[in-house]
């Protein structure tokens, strides 16, 4: 009989505030930050987690986050090349786009939120139609990772031009190039070698006049955008040069010459910020016209005084220089004079990204806030003070909010569970945290050294921590206080274990000593010293001690050494009993089963060995992981055990049958810590990615043979998808091969499955129609009386259950395919199925079913299979009636849309005539109020002297 097990599944990930794989967004005290494969929404004022954007089964890391002009819509790019549109109100996915082969590195929405441009590590740009949920085209031209994308929108020119500025795209890449793309003609208009080093960041000023780019060598440059060249076309000037769209203006000196990793303008306030250092952000203020004129007048007064002080007259050369220089006009200023350094914001840790708050903080507070996401798993918000006239005082940003309690600053190195499985302790370099396992909330945080190992002491009121400096530290959990600190060893304490009777503790260290400690309870008069350790004896070893474990029956003590052996001693007399040798590299972890019959060892040689504790014989050696094994633990009251490794995998094994039960992958980096429930209900893992993950035992049965088959199928499907994506069928547009513009195609497992479902539906409908046709022919051959007695053929069970006709069933299957995957699914169909599909498309057009979808499928199939369709004369019989039916259906749809549009315009005219404010008209009313408030407060435009 086949043995079955119970499946374990991921239920929760916690301990992670933000990861450093992507940028972050901040909006009115709400932060949208990446957390490995998820996006977390934090309330920075309350420090609460509002939502988690998680899609089941998706494991790729978040690499880019962008806010759409539409309310509650965010675009999120992932490391597998996919893009998801999330609704922040419902925390659900609106659409999924697959087109890139590598990680998405840049996203940008147009001003209406109807189009999305994405750039990737595969050097491609893809323009997506969000409304139709389809990829429009792919632009190629960059030779390295795309790092910045912006749409150019100018309110000076109407959008009715053929070459409207809204159809202009600006991109930068690590290939040192900045490119200007015309989306209406789908070609590159201008290429600029912007920097000598890789370009890492770009942003456009709110008035769409200047572009700022930052490079890897710390160079910040400003470029002027010539919208005249866009609207008038690329014409030659009087000197014979072609008018350029992007003109170099100036280079900006920065306080620190490091990589310019992020440039950002405030959307409404006169500020812009540059991140050119790991820990600081330089904030600049954009001066007004009045300030620039005052500065110019002061400069002229200083020059005048200097000339008056000079007794001797100027030389001939100086006079010539002065006359050549001349006085600048009052309205012409140099671009660097527009930007005044305001302050340098220094964060408490290494910066990953920053963002301006888009809304005002309120009365009495600074109107500008900067949100900072740190690489150390923390978030901070700073208030930027208003500029002051005094030069003596230096401005400093004040920290308004900080969010760092729900996670560790560094990787999680140790985990341990209380005896009732209600409390979890996690330790890292600098801090200990206590978690409630029911709510996964952090209930205690304590400072400590570099925690390497930990264990709960009897009673679950105290914990013992072994540190890298050789100390054993005891904490009282109830009061979160340090009870005792003992300098136990002269080197790192690698392992701690409590004796099964709960009266002693053993520690193993890199100083080649195993020390035994007895517990001592103090009197109630000294509450702060209620628990202490007394050194009982020491066992000296020949090499560094990496792990120590008691057998559950209290009879043996196992000690693993750096020489790749495990020594077994009698616990009471410390007499040598067994030596287990066989590993090629040191044994980093081990555990003994509850019945004290098996000991399992995990080593840096990637192998797990199962030994008998009675004779020390090796039952089995298993190649378990792709990297060194960091922890191994038995499940309570069984011979099943868990292993974790530096390859980021958690694996479940049967120690009696020596077979692999289940593989669980969720972490994105090395797993250092493992804790198994004392009741066998769940497993907890801690990783280098700073996350703690909970894996619970489910009621679903698991069969190892089926798991192996599923793994092989996944490997085959991944190989098939990769082979399909290597040969791109969409390299032709309008019958002509183009290297710069191609179609957007990418086969995934979902598109292959969708294509197979369409083929199955076509086969089922064709067979059903064939049976019905044969029945009608037989009925026509018979006389009238016999024809009435003929029984109709039985319907297909699927069609009978759904109560659908064959053509309606095929339409239902096609409608269930996601819009973003429809084109790729249709590419899977062989040409014989395309011919069959054409017949059903004709039926749907004749009946007026989902005309929009029918037209989209027809145009796509005609474009892809144009050569075969032209060469096939049989297609003419179905295409001619389809053309007539489709034209009539589309004309009817056009009439309906036109009628609705006219009705909406009429309603708008009525609303405007009656003076009724429209929905969403708040911004319009605020603009009117500002205009009535006084023209003097408006910032005037100044012309810039290049």
């Amino acid at each position: 009989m086949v043995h079955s097990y119970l499946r374990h599944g991921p239920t929760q990930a916690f301990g992670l505030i933000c990861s450093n794989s992507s940028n972050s967004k901040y909006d009115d005290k709400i932060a949208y930050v990446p957390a490995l494969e998820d996006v977390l929404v934090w309330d920075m004022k309350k420090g609460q987690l509002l939502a988690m954007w998680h899609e089941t089964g998706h494991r790729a890391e978040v690499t880019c986050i962008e806010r759409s002009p539409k309310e509650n819509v965010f675009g999120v790019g992932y490391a597998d090349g996919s893009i998801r549109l999330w609704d922040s109100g419902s925390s659900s996915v609106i659409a999924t786009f697959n087109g890139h082969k590598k990680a998405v590195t840049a996203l940008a929405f147009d001003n209406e939120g109807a189009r999305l441009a994405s750039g990737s590590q595969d050097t491609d740009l893809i323009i997506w139609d969000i409304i139709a949920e389809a990829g429009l085209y792919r632009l190629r031209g960059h030779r390295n990772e795309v790092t910045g994308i912006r749409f150019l929108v100018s309110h000076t020119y109407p959008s009715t031009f053929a070459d409207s500025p809204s159809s202009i795209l600006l991109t930068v890449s690590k290939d040192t190039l900045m490119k200007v793309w015309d989306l209406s003609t789908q070609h590159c208009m201008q290429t600029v070698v912007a920097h000598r080093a890789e370009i890492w960041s770009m942003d456009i000023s709110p008035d769409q006049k200047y572009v700022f780019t930052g490079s890897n060598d710390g160079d910040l440059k400003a470029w002027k955008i010539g919208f005249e060249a866009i609207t008038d076309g690329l014409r030659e000037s009087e000197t014979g040069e072609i008018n350029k769209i992007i003109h170099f203006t100036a280079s900006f000196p920065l306080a620190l010459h490091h990589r310019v990793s992020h440039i950002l303008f405030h959307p409404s306030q006169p500020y812009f910020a540059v991140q050119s250092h790991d820990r600081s952000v330089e904030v600049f203020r954009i001066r007004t016209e009045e300030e620039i004129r005052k500065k110019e007048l002061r400069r002229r007064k200083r020059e005048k005084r200097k000339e008056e002080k000079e007794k001797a007259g100027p030389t001939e050369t100086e006079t010539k220089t002065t006359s050549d220089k001349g006085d600048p006009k009052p309205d012409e200023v140099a671009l660097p004079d527009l930007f005044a350094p305001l302050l340098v914001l220094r964060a408490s840790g290494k910066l990953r990204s920053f963002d301006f708050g888009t809304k005002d903080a309120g009365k009495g507070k600074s109107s500008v806030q900067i949100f900072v996401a740190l690489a150390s798993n923390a978030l901070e918000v700073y208030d930027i003070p208003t500029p002051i006239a005094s030069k003596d005082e230096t401005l400093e940003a004040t920290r308004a909010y900080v969010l760092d309690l729900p996670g560790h600053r560094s990787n999680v190195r140790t985990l341990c569970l209380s005896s009732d499985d209600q409390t979890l302790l996690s330790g890292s370099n600098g801090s200990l945290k206590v978690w409630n396992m029911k709510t996964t909330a952090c209930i205690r945080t304590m400072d400590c050294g570099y925690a390497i190992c930990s264990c709960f002491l009897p009673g679950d009121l105290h914990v013992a921590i072994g540190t890298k400096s050789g100390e054993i530290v005891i904490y009282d959990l109830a009061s979160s206080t340090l009870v005792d600190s003992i300098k136990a060893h002269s080197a790192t304490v690698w392992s701690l274990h409590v004796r099964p009777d709960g009266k002693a503790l053993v520690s193993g260290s890199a100083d080649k000593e195993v020390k035994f400690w007895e517990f001592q309870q103090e009197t109630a008069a000294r509450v702060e010293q209620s628990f202490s350790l007394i050194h009982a004896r020491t066992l000296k070893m020949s090499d560094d001690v990496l792990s120590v474990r008691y057998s559950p029956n209290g009879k043996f003590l196992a000690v693993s050494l750096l020489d790749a052996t495990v020594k077994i001693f009698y616990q009471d007399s410390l007499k040598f009993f067994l030596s287990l040798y066989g590993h090629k590299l040191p044994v980093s972890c081990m555990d003994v089963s509850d019945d004290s019959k098996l000991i399992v060892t995990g080593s840096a040689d990637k192998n797990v060995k199962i030994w008998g504790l009675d004779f020390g014989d090796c039952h089995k050696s298993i190649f378990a992981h792709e990297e060194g094994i960091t922890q191994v633990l038995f499940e309570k009251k069984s011979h099943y055990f868990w292993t974790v490794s530096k390859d980021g995998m958690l694996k479940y094994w049967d120690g009696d049958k020596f077979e692999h039960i289940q593989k669980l992958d969720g972490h994105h980096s090395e797993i250092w810590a493992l804790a198994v429930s004392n009741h066998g209900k769940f497993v907890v893992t801690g990783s280098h990615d700073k996350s703690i993950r909970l894996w619970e035992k489910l009621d679903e049965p698991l069969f190892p043979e089926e798991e192996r088959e599923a793994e092989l199928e996944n490997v085959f499907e991944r190989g098939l998808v990769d082979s399909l994506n290597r040969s791109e069928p969409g390299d032709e547009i309008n019958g002509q091969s183009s290297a710069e513009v191609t179609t957007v195609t990418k086969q995934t497992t979902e598109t292959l499955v969708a294509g197979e479902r369409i083929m199955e539906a076509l086969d089922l409908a064709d067979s059903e129609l064939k049976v019905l046709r044969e029945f009608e022919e037989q009925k026509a051959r018979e006389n009238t009386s016999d024809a009435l007695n003929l029984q109709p053929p039985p319907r297909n069970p699927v069609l009978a259950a759904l109560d659908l006709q064959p053509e309606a069933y095929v339409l239902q299957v096609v409608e269930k395919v996601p819009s973003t995957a429809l084109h790729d699914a249709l590419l899977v169909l062989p040409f014989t199925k395309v011919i069959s599909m054409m017949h059903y498309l004709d039926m749907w057009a004749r009946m007026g079913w989902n005309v929009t979808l029918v037209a989209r499928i027809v145009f796509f199939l005609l474009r892809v299979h144009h050569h075969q369709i032209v060469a096939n004369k049989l297609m003419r019989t179905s295409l001619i009636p389809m053309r007539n039916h489709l034209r009539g259906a589309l004309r009817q749809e056009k009439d309906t849309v036109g009628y609705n549009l006219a009705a909406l315009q009429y309603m708008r005219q009525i609303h405007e005539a009656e003076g009724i404010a429209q929905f969403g008209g708040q911004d319009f009313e605020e603009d009117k109020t500002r205009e009535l408030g006084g023209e003097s407060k408006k910032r005037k435009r100044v012309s810039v002297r290049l």
Side-chain angles (χ1 to χ4, degrees), residues 117-304:
S118 63
S120 168
Q121 289 180 356
D122 61 9
T123 73
D124 290 348
L125 295 168
I126 297 181
I127 310 300
W128 306 91
D129 188 341
I130 295 176
I131 298 172
E133 296 184 0
L136 297 177
Y137 43 86
R138 185 192 306 263
L139 300 173
R140 288 175 173 168
H142 284 293
R143 294 292 177 264
N144 207 333
E145 174 184 327
V146 179
T147 54
I149 303 175
R150 288 292 183 273
F151 280 91
L152 291 185
V153 181
S154 176
H155 303 292
T156 308
Y157 304 97
S159 59
T160 54
F161 283 124
D163 293 328
S164 172
S166 61
S167 65
I168 303 301
L169 193 70
L170 196 63
T171 62
V172 294
S173 167
K174 286 186 178 180
D175 59 5
T176 72
L177 300 179
M178 176 165 52
K179 286 179 174 286
V180 184
W181 304 84
D182 186 351
L183 301 185
S184 59
T185 58
Q186 301 171 14
H187 78 284
C188 179
M189 300 174 67
Q190 184 183 352
T191 300
V192 181
V193 182
H195 291 267
R196 293 182 178 180
E198 297 176 345
I199 303 176
W200 276 74
S201 55
M202 173 190 66
D203 201 15
I204 299 178
S205 60
D207 58 3
Q208 299 278 314
K209 284 190 175 182
Y210 301 104
V211 180
F212 285 77
T213 57
S215 68
N216 194 29
D217 57 1
D219 196 11
L220 177 64
K221 290 184 178 181
W223 310 78
K224 187 177 181 181
I225 303 172
F227 282 99
E228 296 83 4
I230 299 175
T231 53
D232 299 340
L234 301 179
R235 300 177 181 176
E236 290 187 3
S237 61
E238 296 177 356
T239 59
E241 295 182 356
I242 297 176
N243 293 331
K244 295 181 180 179
I245 302 170
I246 302 295
H247 304 272
F248 174 71
T249 304
S251 291
F252 276 80
L254 296 175
L256 302 168
H257 290 283
H258 293 82
R259 174 193 299 163
V260 182
S261 56
H262 198 184
I263 302 171
L264 189 63
F265 277 89
H266 195 286
S268 58
Q269 300 290 334
Y271 294 96
F272 97 103
V274 178
Q275 179 189 344
S276 62
H277 189 262
D278 286 345
R279 290 176 176 265
S280 63
V281 175
E282 295 183 52
V283 182
F284 295 83
R285 185 175 62 87
I286 305 174
R287 291 191 176 104
T288 61
E289 181 187 9
E290 186 179 353
E291 290 175 336
I292 296 171
R293 286 178 175 173
K294 286 182 179 179
K295 184 180 179 182
E296 183 68 20
L297 288 174
R298 285 197 300 269
R299 185 181 66 81
R300 290 180 181 178
K301 286 180 181 178
R302 286 196 302 269
E303 290 179 356
K304 193 174 181 181

Side-chain angles (χ1 to χ4, degrees), residues 345-349 369-370 374 378-384 396-404:
L345 186 152
R346 291 179 174 83
S348 60
Q369 289 186 331
I370 287 188
L374 304 181
L379 305 174
E380 295 177 341
V381 176
Y382 289 86
D383 285 332
I384 303 300
E396 289 188 1
T398 57
R399 192 163 64 180
Y401 312 117
V402 60
L403 182 62
D404 59 358

